[in-house]
């Protein structure tokens, strides 16, 4: 299978892209504060994300959440000789800078 460490490393490599989405949205929406979005994602053996959905979000902002989902779908976790893998609950934490 795929380990949490492998998944975390891939998300960490894209941290600046996720932070940019949050920062842009926080500038546009008055009162948007730090928070968390949790996603469920399914990864194909070739490393591509074949399914991703919001499990929970402290933001309640559908536009922001859709942008996060779109970004997650662009991630590639690297080809690995494993079956399709679903990670049920990966959390992304966002802080105001």
């Amino acid at each position: 299978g795929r380990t949490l460490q492998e998944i975390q490393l891939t998300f960490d490599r894209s941290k600046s892209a996720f932070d940019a989405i949050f920062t842009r949205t926080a500038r546009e929406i008055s009162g948007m504060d730090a928070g968390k979005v949790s996603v469920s994602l399914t990864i194909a053996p070739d490393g591509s994300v074949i399914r991703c959905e919001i499990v929970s979000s402290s933001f309640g902002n559908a536009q922001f959440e859709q942008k996060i989902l779109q970004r997650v779908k662009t991630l590639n976790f690297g080809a690995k000789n494993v079956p399709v893998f679903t990670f049920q609950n990966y959390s992304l934490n966002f802080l105001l800078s």
Side-chain angles (χ1 to χ4, degrees):
R2 296 185 184 268
T3 66
L4 174 59
Q5 290 78 12
E6 291 171 319
I7 291 168
Q8 203 153 12
L9 183 61
T10 300
F11 273 98
D12 287 349
R13 286 187 191 126
S14 292
K15 183 170 177 18
S16 61
F18 287 108
D19 287 346
I21 293 167
F22 173 69
T23 301
R24 256 190 316 258
T25 305
R27 273 196 299 252
E28 295 168 4
I29 297 172
S30 175
M32 188 163 171
D33 206 356
K36 180 169 84 170
V37 175
S38 296
V39 297
S40 169
L41 64 150
T42 301
I43 305 166
D46 69 0
S48 64
V49 176
I50 55 177
R51 188 188 63 74
C52 181
E53 58 191 40
I54 300 287
V55 174
S56 65
S57 172
S58 64
F59 295 102
N61 182 305
Q63 225 176 356
F64 171 68
E65 293 159 4
Q66 282 305 309
K67 288 177 184 176
I68 294 300
L69 288 177
Q70 287 171 349
R71 183 66 182 113
V72 171
K73 289 175 184 175
T74 69
L75 297 177
N76 191 294
F77 293 86
K80 196 171 177 184
N81 191 15
V82 295
V84 170
F85 178 81
T86 298
F87 197 88
Q88 296 293 340
N89 195 350
Y90 186 85
S91 293
L92 297 152
N93 295 300
F94 296 96
L95 302 171
L96 291 173
S97 48

